[in-house]
Amino acid sequence: MTIRMGGGQGGVRGKNSKLIAARERQAMSDGEPMQPQDVAEAMNVFLWAEHQRNPKSPEPTILDHRFVLAYEAGRYWWPSAHYRAAFRHVLDVATDAELGFTPKRRRRRGLHAPANSADVNPLAEFADKADDAQGDVDDVKNRFQEQALRRHIITSPDDHPVVVDGQGSAAHGDRRLGIEDTVNPGSAETDLVDFASILDQRGISNSELTAVELACQRLDQEFARTSPDELISKIRMLMKLVTNHLRQPQTLSHHERLVRLAARVAGLRAWACFDINDHHAADRWYDAAVTVAQDSKAWGLGAWLLGAQSLIPWHRREMRRAAALIERGIYFASQGTDATTRAWLYALQARANAGKGDGEGFDSAHARAQREAEESNERDRRHGMDFTNGSLDLRYYAGTSRLLLRQPGQAYTDLTGSLNALPKTHTKARAVLSLFLADAAAQSGDTAQARDLTLRALASTIEQPILPIFQQSRRVHRLVQQQDPASAATLIDAVQNFGTALTAVASKATS
């Protein structure tokens, strides 16, 4: 059977306006309408949760915006049952018809007897049965077409399906032609064929692997504006997908990519655990990810992981352990990595030195960070790294360092610049910066400004609570309490309510 992607299910009907309207009615946390990628990611979470509840349900694969757009464009209009359920759940409708989904049921006009006729028209009865049979065929064809949509099956000029997998292989008929198909059995080349066949494990296709890598990259990019419980749900699904592929035979290059991808996903999981105050789990995930990165000689990834792990002791004010992790990260970076990661690590080192009261050490490491940042590139960005005007923005780290050195004036300038450069959608990061500005205000004796900044930061993130915000708000409350007990009294309820929200989200994320 030939699968023609261009024709969909019997030809293109035109845009599915009901599906598009249903998507645009749904708003994201920032108030903007859902985009096709948002729908796809929410469907991934739903399908993963369904599979967890019922292991017999279809094992989910990563969907992206192209899957949703194909249905919106009218190329396909009757998804499989589990995809229809996911669409209904995400777009908050009760029926498939509300999304413009209809099975293909053609009726022959002029064959049916009038309603008041006692006779049964045999042609009409036959037509009804034929339509039902056609519907069953359509359901089977639809499953093939969905597989085509997910696996990028295209039709070759000679009318044979070709599976593009980046390995130069193709599916002809019902199976792929491998290296063993080119040699006669029992020939002198059999030993070589056996050897090559072991190395030529197809496994995941190149397009599928690239799609999973892009999903991880998008998750990293959206980390700053996603709630911790939603993040952990998405990360679990992604990790399950990656580990399932790692258990299967793969080409050497694909196995390498999957291993590195698993380490990066584990790093995101660790950071999410840190955000919900589960430091023990975060440390374990970081340790496992660093080991994988070291074994696979993914030095840049390992350097980022160690820098991220150093935030756990830094927030506990365990400066020696933080410095040790950063030093190890710098060693990894020296084995070969990008200027962006090196600049970030030197900025962390500068702050650790400031935490130990070493002003000269701060100046030296900060100067190195600035030199490396001149060569930074946004394509090398990972979570924790902010960019402005195409270069790594070091002002957040410089500002927090100067707070530790009791230089609130200089800290305020750096932190304000960093805050102004952050996108409005990065609510959590902006709240963290606002709280450090409140710290600077309190150190300067402006308790009223410290109080106001803290209240705004807590109110803006009560739906996305994370530990760094809670921890810094408690510190500002303590600083204000020492100077102005009346102002501090207005903070206590907001801080406690935020702590309660954080506990609830942490419980939800780990359930």
Side-chain angles (χ1 to χ4, degrees):
M1 180 175 68
T2 300
I3 299 172
R4 297 189 182 276
M5 289 297 293
Q9 292 165 299
V12 179
R13 285 184 172 182
K15 287 186 178 180
N16 186 336
S17 57
K18 290 185 177 181
L19 180 59
I20 295 170
R23 169 175 61 77
E24 291 178 344
R25 284 195 298 270
Q26 301 300 312
M28 300 296 288
S29 57
D30 58 4
E32 293 295 317
M34 290 187 89
Q35 298 301 312
Q37 182 66 32
D38 300 320
V39 175
E41 291 183 358
M43 288 177 67
N44 287 334
V45 173
F46 173 83
L47 292 167
W48 169 250
E50 287 298 300
H51 187 64
Q52 290 292 95
R53 283 192 288 268
N54 178 18
K56 293 183 180 180
S57 66
E59 185 167 333
T61 58
I62 293 289
L63 306 179
D64 65 14
H65 64 285
R66 292 168 294 184
F67 186 86
V68 178
L69 286 173
Y71 284 97
E72 290 190 354
R75 293 177 65 192
Y76 309 97
W77 53 82
W78 188 240
S80 297
H82 61 298
Y83 289 129
R84 296 199 305 273
F87 269 118
R88 291 195 305 269
H89 172 79
V90 171
L91 299 178
D92 193 24
V93 300
T95 65
D96 296 326
E98 293 175 75
L99 299 176
F101 294 149
T102 54
K104 187 176 180 182
R105 293 289 187 268
R106 292 177 292 184
R107 295 296 182 188
R108 277 76 173 170
R109 294 184 179 179
L111 295 179
H112 291 274
N116 59 356
S117 173
D119 298 324
V120 177
N121 186 333
L123 289 176
E125 183 178 7
F126 173 79
D128 287 343
K129 290 180 179 179
D131 282 339
D132 291 338
Q134 179 62 43
D136 293 338
V137 171
D138 286 339
D139 288 342
V140 173
K141 286 174 64 181
N142 183 58
R143 286 196 292 273
F144 276 104
Q145 287 165 332
E146 282 179 341
Q147 292 170 8
L149 182 58
R150 293 197 309 272
R151 298 184 59 205
H152 305 281
I153 298 180
I154 62 175
T155 303
S156 66
D158 62 354
D159 217 31
H160 291 287
V162 177
V163 181
V164 179
D165 65 356
Q167 298 299 310
S169 63
H172 292 262
D174 292 328
R175 68 185 182 88
R176 293 186 180 184
L177 292 179
I179 190 171
E180 64 275 8
D181 294 292
T182 65
V183 181
N184 293 326
S187 71
E189 297 166 325
T190 300
D191 290 342
L192 176 60
V193 170
D194 288 341
F195 173 72
S197 296
I198 292 172
L199 299 181
D200 190 31
Q201 302 289 343
R202 292 289 196 268
I204 188 172
S205 72
N206 191 61
S207 58
E208 285 179 296
L209 179 52
T210 300
V212 179
E213 289 170 333
L214 290 173
C216 179
Q217 182 177 335
R218 183 175 175 87
L219 190 59
D220 185 305
Q221 292 170 346
E222 295 185 343
F223 202 105
R225 53 182 180 267
T226 308
S227 63
D229 53 325
E230 184 181 349
L231 272 171
I232 289 179
S233 177
K234 290 182 177 181
I235 291 167
R236 281 174 169 166
M237 181 185 67
L238 196 57
M239 181 61 82
K240 175 72 171 178
L241 183 68
V242 173
T243 54
N244 279 348
H245 282 299
L246 279 171
R247 292 189 182 98
Q248 299 167 6
Q250 304 290 345
T251 64
L252 291 175
S253 62
H254 283 185
H255 181 81
E256 227 175 61
R257 286 168 64 184
L258 283 166
V259 166
R260 295 183 182 193
L261 181 58
R264 185 171 183 180
V265 176
L268 292 175
R269 176 70 180 271
W271 204 312
C273 288
F274 164 70
D275 278 348
I276 60 173
N277 200 23
D278 191 351
H279 287 183
H280 180 62
D283 264 326
R284 286 187 298 167
W285 278 106
Y286 277 130
D287 287 342
V290 169
T291 298
V292 171
Q294 183 172 12
D295 290 347
S296 61
K297 294 181 170 54
W299 301 114
L301 175 60
W304 169 72
L305 289 165
L306 287 162
Q309 188 175 13
S310 75
L311 299 180
I312 298 175
W314 185 81
H315 275 274
R316 293 174 175 172
R317 294 298 189 263
E318 298 172 2
M319 297 302 176
R320 291 189 181 280
R321 180 170 177 249
L325 287 167
I326 295 165
E327 285 288 350
R328 190 181 175 203
I330 291 172
Y331 167 74
F332 272 44
S334 71
Q335 302 303 300
T337 189
D338 53 89
T340 304
T341 303
R342 291 195 299 270
W344 185 64
L345 283 165
Y346 284 134
L348 291 173
Q349 186 182 49
R351 189 169 65 174
N353 290 336
K356 294 184 289 186
D358 183 359
E360 289 184 4
F362 161 74
D363 289 335
S364 175
H366 184 60
R368 287 195 295 272
Q370 288 178 311
R371 285 195 297 271
E372 294 289 355
E374 292 174 1
E375 306 298 326
S376 62
N377 193 307
E378 200 158 357
R379 71 166 179 262
D380 300 317
R381 178 201 169 279
R382 292 187 175 95
H383 184 55
M385 304 174 184
D386 296 315
F387 276 76
T388 182
N389 298 323
S391 296
L392 185 67
D393 190 350
L394 301 174
R395 288 174 293 184
Y396 165 70
Y397 297 100
T400 50
S401 298
R402 296 194 185 282
L403 285 176
L404 293 168
L405 293 170
R406 302 294 186 217
Q407 299 170 358
Q410 291 172 278
Y412 196 90
T413 300
D414 285 329
L415 294 169
T416 300
S418 180
L419 178 62
N420 291 339
L422 270 181
K424 299 291 185 184
T425 53
H426 289 206
T427 312
K428 292 181 290 186
R430 291 179 66 86
V432 170
L433 272 162
S434 295
L435 287 165
F436 281 114
L437 283 169
D439 193 323
Q443 286 191 33
S444 300
D446 191 345
T447 55
Q449 186 184 28
R451 176 199 62 207
D452 293 344
L453 285 166
T454 301
L455 289 173
R456 285 200 295 270
L458 293 175
S460 68
T461 51
I462 191 68
E463 300 297 329
Q464 297 183 343
I466 58 173
L467 175 66
I469 294 174
F470 179 56
Q471 188 177 48
Q472 185 62 19
S473 67
R474 291 174 64 186
R475 170 179 165 78
V476 173
H477 173 261
R478 178 172 56 79
L479 292 174
V480 173
Q481 174 72 32
Q482 293 170 355
Q483 304 174 60
D484 185 359
S487 292
T490 63
L491 287 176
I492 189 63
D493 287 343
V495 173
Q496 289 178 346
N497 290 340
F498 193 89
T500 301
L502 176 59
T503 301
V505 167
S507 177
K508 183 178 178 182
T510 55
S511 62

